[in-house]
Structures are given as structure tokens and as C-alpha cells.
Amino acid sequence: MMKVVDAAGPVEPGRGMMAVTALTQETVAALPREVAVPSYDRSRLTAGIVHVGVGGFHRAHQAMYLDRLMNDGLAHDWAVCGVGVLPGDARMRDALDAQDGLYTLVQKHPDGTLEARVIGSIVGFLFAPDDPQAVVEKMADPAVRIVSLTVTEGGYNFHPVTGEFVADAPAVRADLEPGAAPATVFGLVTEALRRRRARGVAPFTVMSCDNIQGNGDVARRSFTAFARLADADLAGWIEEAVAFPNSMVDRITPVTTDQDRASVAERFGVLDAWPVTCEPFTQWALEDHFSSGRPPFEAAGVQMVADVEPYELMKLRLLNAGHQALAYFGRLSGHRYVHEAATDAALARFVRDYMDVEATPTLRPVPGVDLEDYKRTLIERFANPEVRDTVARLCAESSDRIPKWLLPVVREQLARGGEVTRAAAVVASWARYAEGVDEAGEPITIVDPLKDRLTPIARTQRTRPTAFIENRDLFGDLADDKRFVEPYLRALESLHTRGARATVRELAELGRRT
């Protein structure tokens, strides 16, 4: 039976009927004692951070770290004002506005123990489509010293092969029209920086928290490229004056489900429109480079470092690319949850072999981290049955993820004469998945911005086996390198003729032979 963490120790749920309380600032103090609540006076908080892209991950990670600081009497002038840029962000606005910015964060331990905590570090939310000027003015407020971002891997608008900013994207062109109200994150941030400069206000830091190698460097290139299209002088000032720290962020945070909402109400007595569930593990390595100050993040457990790259590469090439190695083979093998795929012995062996043989040789030493222990812990984290992360979540947005997380491993291994058999097989599993039909003939719901382009191509690969990897916008010249193409074709043919489970078993046996 699942346990609930109580101030006096674990208690079993279901001891009588628990009253359910709608979560607001007025009711938070009356929540059951097993729910940790903010110990600070939220009326005294002021927003020092504007965060664009308030989703589950931000609320399980950055907002949680800030809440830790606030509970310790620190960072009360570093609260968060959230910003939504996409139409779908209106749902988050409505949920947070109704709850005074509060929400429940539930950590799910592998043994079934739950820890619930109400997070209070978000104090406002602005929806840019309704009032872009309000967003710009909030960012231009001198009290705001950081604009942070979780806008996904695809949100930086750069070409997956060349890395160049895509200046002819329709949304970018629209923002650059004379007199246009800014609608993209680039337009909003750039206009806010322009106003700060004109008013003699120091620039804020732009802090990316997305899963991209060199995320701060990528953000710098994207925002300055956009600014250069509008105002070359402003772009030069941004390059010189604005800090874009790199960071590595880590916490497995599945999409919130109706079951999660019901569980929070039943087990903790909290009626929360949008709670967040996550694993216990969390990590944040952050480059200590800021334009106008920062919260004392290190007091909350953040690793403030001079060089983030070793941490980034470790996480992106082991955890994120490891997730992709699980995802497509897992879905094609019939698994629907990540813990099911991670406890499939052959699939777990394949993923660990990818980590050991192909990813690890591309990594630098990571200060304070034992890579062997880290990899072992990753498989354990993937196998946590309580998190109930879905394989579908890992399979989503593949055209943004594979080029950024897995293909750099392929290219580095090819450059050094290393193995790419398993990474090529992961790409083949994506290509097979992209056909949109599983091994039972059932449709696969594909969530990807390039779905309409990639699925028709994937469906030709039984007669044109290299069709998928001939897409140079995603794969560059990899289709010209037989060291990659040969293992890719072997895996793809096996997937078509023998199926995912047999293909994975053979790949896992390869690890035993070597």
C-alpha cells in the first residue's frame, strides 16, 4: 500500500475520510499537517525573476529551489512572475491565478512513499497573447534581474545541423514587422532589453534552463541574432552587457494526469487544479555568471560552477539520450510506461551498453561525480514505478531531441574511430516509430513538429532504406558515412523483419560478446 509522509512518520492512507480543501493562499495554513507549506510571508515577496514557459519541470525544479531558499529566510526579493507565450499557456494561467500561484509538488519514492509540499515562490502570471506590453514592462522593471526560460529544445529557433538562427521563420518575421506587438520570446525579451537600455537600467540575465548543450551560449546566439535583425546597435549591447549563463538541469517530471489530481485530493486532502509529480532526485549545475546579481542558489543545493559543460554532456548524453534509447524500442516492444521499459532486462542492458561503450568515451571528467555510479543510478531512476512516466512523453518532439542529444555522440565517436552501433540502432528505432504504425498494426500517435514531413518519408523506407536519414536538415551528412549507415540499416531491417524485442535482444547480446 502507498504511504504518505507525515510529520510524525509514514502513515497509511485511507484512515477515515479526509476533507478536501481547495488550494489558495487563504486556505493553505489549514491543509493537513503531512503537507509541507510555505513558512514565509508570501505577501512580502517581490518578483525578481520573470520565467517564460511555466510547466511541470520549472515548477518541480527552479521554483522548488527558490521555495527552499524562501523557507530559510532568503531570496524574498527573487520570487517568480510566470509568463506564457503560447495559446496553450492560458490553462496554466487560469490554474495558478485561481490558486494565488500556489501548487502541490509531490515526490514519488520507489518504495511508494509520497512527499507533498506546497510551493509558494510563484507570485504572478502574465499571458503574453492577451497583453504583450504588460510582459515587456514587467521584464523592463528594475526589480527584475533574471529572465529565465524553459521553452523546450525547439524554442530557440536554430537549425539542427548548422546551428544558425532561422530568420525566415514566420513568427520571427511577424515580430520584425514595423510597429508589430512582440509575440515571440525573442521579441518580448529584446524589446524589454531595449527599454532598459533606453531608461538607463542595468540588463537582466537571460538564464536558460532547457536541455540543450551550451544552453546559455545557444540563447545568446538566438537572442542576439534576432536583435541584429531589428537593431544592430542593440544587438551589440546585448552581446556585451547581458549574461547568458550555461546550466545543467535534471529531474524526471512526468506530465500531470487526472489520476495525479485525484491522488493529491484523496491522499492529501488538497484540491489542486495542476499539481506536479516528480522523482526524488534533483540536480542543477549553474554557471556563476550573472548581469545584475542572483539569489544565493548554492544555499539550496545548486552547484555553482565555473564550467558547466562536463555536467551538461553527462546529463544530455547519458540521461536524455538514454531516454531516447529506451523510448522507441520500448514503445515498439509494447511498453507504455518508462519503468516497464527500464525493467525489460534486454532493453536495460542495451541502454547501459550505449552509455558505457558509446556515450561515456565522449565525456569529460565531471567534478565530484562517479560516472559508473551515475549510470547505475540512472537505470534505477528510469525504473521507479511510482513516477509512472510515459514512453509517449519520451517519444515526443523527437526531431528536436535526437539532433541535440544523440547525434553529437555519433559524430564524436565517428571522429575518434569509436563505435556507433547502438546509437545508430536508436536512430533506426525512431525511423521505425515514425512510420506511425506499431507491430500489431495499431496507429501510433506521433507528437512532433515535423510529423507531417517525416512520417511520409518513414513510410517509404521499406523500399528506400536510407530515406529517413537522407534528411540533411536533421542528419547532415551522416547518410554518406558507411560506419553509421551500415549499423543503421542492420537495425532497421531487423525491426522490419524480426521486430523490436528480437532486435534489442541481439543488440544486448552484442554487449556480452564485446
Side-chain angles (χ1 to χ4, degrees):
M1 179 176 285
M2 192 161 290
K3 296 172 287 184
V4 178
V5 170
D6 185 283
V11 298
E12 300 297 333
R15 299 183 308 183
M17 296 298 294
M18 178 178 288
V20 177
T21 302
L23 180 59
T24 66
Q25 184 58 46
E26 184 178 348
T27 63
V28 68
L31 294 179
R33 64 192 181 102
E34 60 264 30
V35 180
V37 300
S39 63
Y40 48 91
D41 182 354
R42 294 184 73 234
S43 69
R44 300 178 66 86
L45 299 180
T46 56
I49 299 173
V50 168
H51 183 82
V52 182
V54 179
F57 182 77
H58 168 74
R59 295 188 297 144
H61 196 264
Q62 182 186 333
M64 179 277 300
Y65 280 102
L66 291 165
D67 183 76
R68 276 185 186 174
L69 292 176
M70 293 167 183
N71 277 314
D72 288 339
L74 304 170
H76 287 190
D77 57 341
W78 289 101
V80 175
C81 175
V83 165
V85 174
L86 302 176
D89 293 330
R91 292 177 56 231
M92 183 63 72
R93 173 203 59 195
D94 295 344
L96 289 177
D97 282 355
Q99 296 176 179
D100 302 315
L102 298 168
Y103 61 92
T104 315
L105 178 65
V106 180
Q107 294 185 43
K108 295 185 170 184
H109 294 263
D111 68 355
T113 302
L114 303 179
E115 292 182 74
R117 167 181 172 186
V118 173
I119 303 295
S121 54
I122 298 178
V123 295
F125 192 101
L126 298 173
F127 186 54
D130 280 353
D131 193 347
Q133 295 306 322
V135 173
V136 171
E137 278 301 311
K138 188 63 178 179
M139 293 179 178
D141 183 346
V144 170
R145 287 148 288 165
I146 294 173
V147 171
S148 55
L149 311 170
T150 45
V151 294
T152 77
E153 298 77 28
Y156 294 85
N157 192 49
F158 64 90
H159 192 281
V161 175
T162 68
E164 296 298 316
F165 186 75
V166 183
D168 60 353
V172 169
R173 292 203 309 268
D175 260 14
L176 292 170
E177 287 293 323
T184 68
V185 65
F186 307 109
L188 294 164
V189 168
T190 301
E191 175 60 17
L193 286 169
R194 187 195 67 76
R195 293 184 191 184
R196 290 176 79 109
R197 184 190 187 203
R199 296 168 186 175
V201 177
F204 48 69
T205 295
V206 177
M207 184 174 74
S208 171
C209 297
D210 282 298
N211 286 314
I212 305 172
Q213 183 180 340
N215 53 13
D217 298 332
V218 169
R220 178 190 298 277
R221 289 196 299 271
S222 292
F223 283 95
T224 55
F226 177 89
R228 195 169 292 112
L229 295 170
D231 183 338
D233 185 54
L234 176 63
W237 178 79
I238 290 173
E239 276 194 312
E240 180 178 326
V242 178
F244 292 82
N246 290 306
S247 68
M248 180 276 277
V249 295
D250 188 5
R251 184 168 232 182
I252 295 173
T253 308
V255 174
T256 300
T257 66
D258 287 339
Q259 183 179 350
D260 293 324
R261 294 178 179 88
S263 176
V264 168
E266 176 188 346
R267 299 182 184 282
F268 296 107
V270 181
L271 187 63
D272 188 333
W274 210 323
V276 184
T277 65
C278 62
E279 64 171 338
F281 181 91
T282 183
Q283 187 178 16
W284 189 3
L286 179 59
E287 184 181 7
D288 201 354
H289 176 51
F290 288 78
S291 306
S292 300
R294 63 169 176 81
F297 285 125
E298 60 271 36
V302 180
Q303 296 166 274
M304 304 302 301
V305 299
D307 182 9
V308 171
E309 185 178 55
Y311 300 90
E312 288 180 317
L313 295 180
M314 173 187 73
K315 195 259 179 167
L316 295 174
R317 297 182 180 185
L318 296 177
L319 186 151
N320 293 110
H323 262 160
Q324 304 314 113
L326 269 182
Y328 315 107
F329 277 121
R331 174 62 178 81
L332 294 169
S333 296
H335 301 304
R336 296 298 181 266
Y337 289 96
V338 176
H339 67 272
E340 296 170 346
T343 52
D344 178 324
L347 188 48
R349 179 71 262 170
F350 165 72
V351 173
R352 180 59 194 261
D353 287 345
Y354 156 76
M355 293 179 184
D356 289 341
V357 179
E358 299 180 20
T360 298
T362 72
L363 304 180
R364 293 165 46 190
V366 185
V369 176
D370 180 327
L371 281 178
E372 290 304 306
D373 183 63
Y374 180 81
K375 288 182 284 189
R376 178 187 57 78
T377 302
L378 281 183
I379 300 298
E380 293 175 356
R381 291 168 61 193
F382 295 167
N384 183 341
E386 300 301 324
V387 172
R388 296 187 67 77
D389 199 6
T390 64
V391 171
R393 183 184 77 87
L394 304 190
C395 292
E397 317 292 342
S398 301
S399 63
D400 283 333
R401 295 175 172 184
I402 291 288
K404 297 176 179 69
W405 299 343
L406 184 70
L407 297 189
V409 172
V410 172
R411 292 193 175 93
E412 287 198 30
Q413 282 290 86
L414 291 174
R416 64 194 299 277
E419 279 196 53
V420 296
T421 301
R422 296 158 189 85
V426 175
V427 176
S429 70
W430 173 31
R432 170 63 185 87
Y433 171 89
E435 294 174 15
V437 180
D438 68 16
E439 293 178 5
E442 296 298 322
I444 297 173
T445 301
I446 295 175
V447 178
D448 192 288
L450 300 183
K451 178 185 71 171
D452 292 341
R453 288 171 51 193
L454 295 180
T455 294
I457 294 171
R459 289 177 176 172
T460 71
Q461 60 196 356
R462 292 178 188 260
T463 55
R464 290 181 54 228
T466 59
F468 197 76
I469 57 173
E470 288 170 8
N471 185 330
R472 293 183 181 267
D473 285 341
L474 292 177
F475 296 100
D477 60 359
L478 286 178
D480 302 330
D481 194 320
K482 67 179 183 180
R483 295 172 299 167
F484 172 77
V485 174
E486 288 177 358
Y488 170 83
L489 291 177
R490 284 197 302 271
L492 185 62
E493 181 182 13
S494 180
L495 284 162
H496 282 147
T497 60
R498 301 167 63 222
R501 288 184 179 272
T503 303
V504 168
R505 282 197 299 270
E506 182 173 331
L507 289 163
E509 284 297 322
L510 174 66
R512 290 191 177 92
R513 293 196 296 270
T514 58

